[in-house]
């Protein structure tokens, strides 16, 4: 997995849409429901907002 926080957040967003479907929406799991570029845009927005509020993402040493 990438060390880039945007990639990690993007993967989490995609996973949320595919792994945790809404029970009342049969199209929820469709791979076309959310596009890759939309996941990237959401991830970037999340990081920008976190940064604006004084948060930062750091990777712990293993």
């Amino acid at each position: 997995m990438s060390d880039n926080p945007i990639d990690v957040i993007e993967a989490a967003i995609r996973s949320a849409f595919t792994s945790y479907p809404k029970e009342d929406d049969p199209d929820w799991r469709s791979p076309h429901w959310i596009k890759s570029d939309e996941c990237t845009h959401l991830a970037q927005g999340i990081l920008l907002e976190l940064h604006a509020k004084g948060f930062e993402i750091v990777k712990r040493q293993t």
Side-chain angles (χ1 to χ4, degrees):
M1 174 164 274
S2 172
D3 286 343
N4 184 340
I6 290 178
D7 294 339
V8 175
I9 293 171
E10 180 183 340
I13 291 168
R14 184 175 315 289
S15 175
F17 282 100
T18 59
S19 299
Y20 304 100
K22 289 172 68 176
E23 294 175 8
D24 60 344
D25 187 352
D27 291 331
W28 181 264
R29 291 189 85 127
S30 168
H32 306 290
W33 201 89
I34 188 164
K35 297 178 178 112
S36 242
D37 60 331
E38 294 169 326
C39 288
T40 301
H41 183 75
L42 286 170
Q44 290 171 338
I46 289 167
L47 283 179
L48 288 172
E49 187 65 22
L50 287 170
H51 182 73
K53 302 291 186 202
F55 292 92
E56 69 177 292
I57 295 177
V58 295
K59 185 175 179 183
R60 284 188 259 174
Q61 298 290 335
T62 56

